[in-house]
Amino acid sequence: MIDTEILLTIKLHNTLFADPRRIELLRQIKQIGSINQAAKLAGVSYKTAWDNIDAMTKISPKPLLERSTGGKQGGGTQLTSYADRLLQLYDLLQQTQKRAFEILHEENIPLDNALFATAKSSLQTSARNQLFGKVSGLKQKDSLVWVDVNIDGINEPICAVITEKSSKRLDLMLGRDVMLLIKAPWIKLNLKRIGVNDFTGEIIAIEQNEVLVKIGHTVLCAIIEEPISEKVGESIQLHIDPEQIILATL
């Protein structure tokens, strides 16, 4: 891991809204329930703290602070749910920025594709096969949409079938970057050719009940329940059920 410090600044209407100092003030107010005490813990004067909170409040879409009365503490200042979500968002953005900088040094991750970079740097899934491509065809049949996706290094597109609602939610269109998630058990070997998602690949490894098959520049992992006659280096037929492909976009 690279020791980095990224100072995140958020502006609204071209005016400073949040920065590390202001966020720290909000954190302390959340913990202490007092602007005065929060200022001391944040290492700034009360006036500086109040000026910063006041500046945020003036441009904030929703209130950041609310007064509480009564109770053992005799009342105080609390964060609104909006301010609390702001703290969570700020933490999330910091983590994302830090990880984004770290992938600068991972030359196998291209930085010209936001979906690819995000998935490779941040997304962990149980699907062994994660492919990236562009939508090359959309055809609707009743309530289902057949989506063709071109994958670099594979001569024929891979077809996925999703619902019309899912297609609209993903905002699919020709040329859209998509990720395909295919679990290893969903890939079938030596199945009778159906015509859709039938490929011929080369076996590059057989490990216990797993078979790695190379198609073009892509390597797919399949699960086998029974031994196969093909050996490493030989060709094998492979089929992917279009309905067992999960699509993802940004």
Side-chain angles (χ1 to χ4, degrees):
M1 299 292 289
I2 302 171
D3 185 14
T4 59
E5 181 182 15
I6 299 176
L7 302 179
L8 176 64
T9 297
I10 301 176
K11 287 187 175 182
L12 295 179
H13 310 297
N14 295 320
T15 302
L16 177 63
F17 177 58
D19 62 6
R21 182 171 63 174
R22 292 180 174 182
I23 291 297
E24 180 60 22
L25 278 171
L26 291 180
R27 291 191 202 284
Q28 295 299 339
I29 292 173
K30 179 179 180 179
Q31 293 294 324
I32 306 300
S34 165
I35 297 179
N36 186 36
Q37 293 299 316
K40 293 179 180 179
L41 293 173
V44 298
S45 67
Y46 176 79
K47 183 179 185 306
T48 298
W50 177 254
D51 287 345
N52 277 273
I53 295 299
D54 184 54
M56 292 184 72
T57 301
K58 287 180 178 179
I59 61 174
S60 176
K62 295 183 179 181
L64 299 173
L65 304 179
E66 58 186 6
R67 296 287 298 176
S68 60
T69 58
K72 294 181 179 180
Q73 304 299 324
T77 302
Q78 296 180 338
L79 299 190
T80 63
S81 59
Y82 179 79
D84 199 43
R85 284 178 58 81
L86 173 61
L87 293 182
Q88 296 177 42
L89 175 64
Y90 195 88
D91 286 342
L92 178 62
L93 291 175
Q94 281 188 315
Q95 295 172 21
T96 303
Q97 283 195 330
K98 184 175 182 180
R99 183 56 186 145
F101 181 80
E102 288 172 353
I103 67 173
L104 172 66
H105 302 270
E106 300 179 24
E107 296 185 0
N108 63 314
I109 299 180
L111 298 179
D112 58 351
N113 186 310
L115 175 62
F116 188 94
T118 300
K120 286 295 185 180
S121 65
S122 305
L123 183 65
Q124 299 294 326
T125 78
S126 62
R128 291 286 301 274
N129 303 294
Q130 301 177 13
L131 310 179
F132 298 86
K134 292 182 180 294
V135 175
S136 60
L138 291 168
K139 183 182 297 184
Q140 184 168 345
K141 296 180 180 180
D142 298 325
S143 61
L144 298 178
V145 177
W146 294 66
V147 185
D148 288 334
V149 181
N150 283 345
I151 309 294
D152 285 343
I154 299 182
N155 293 331
E156 298 179 11
I158 293 180
C159 180
V161 175
I162 62 176
T163 65
E164 180 184 5
K165 290 184 178 179
S166 293
S167 177
K168 291 181 178 179
R169 180 168 53 83
L170 295 174
D171 193 25
L172 294 184
M173 63 186 70
L174 297 181
R176 181 77 186 268
D177 289 322
V178 294
M179 177 171 68
L180 291 74
L181 299 175
I182 310 169
K183 299 186 69 172
W186 296 347
I187 296 180
K188 305 302 180 182
L189 302 177
N190 287 328
L191 193 68
K192 181 178 179 180
R193 295 183 70 87
I194 299 175
V196 178
N197 292 349
D198 290 326
F199 302 95
T200 300
E202 177 189 350
I203 298 175
I204 61 174
I206 301 176
E207 302 174 357
Q208 296 180 348
N209 67 331
E210 293 185 356
V211 178
L212 299 183
V213 182
K214 185 176 183 180
I215 303 176
H217 304 314
T218 301
V219 176
L220 297 176
C221 176
I223 299 295
I224 54 174
E225 298 178 355
E226 298 179 358
I228 58 176
S229 60
E230 292 83 357
K231 308 298 182 183
V232 173
E234 295 182 349
S235 296
I236 192 169
Q237 298 299 315
L238 177 153
H239 174 75
I240 306 171
D241 188 337
E243 296 184 351
Q244 291 187 310
I245 298 177
I246 297 173
L247 295 183
T249 64
L250 281 180

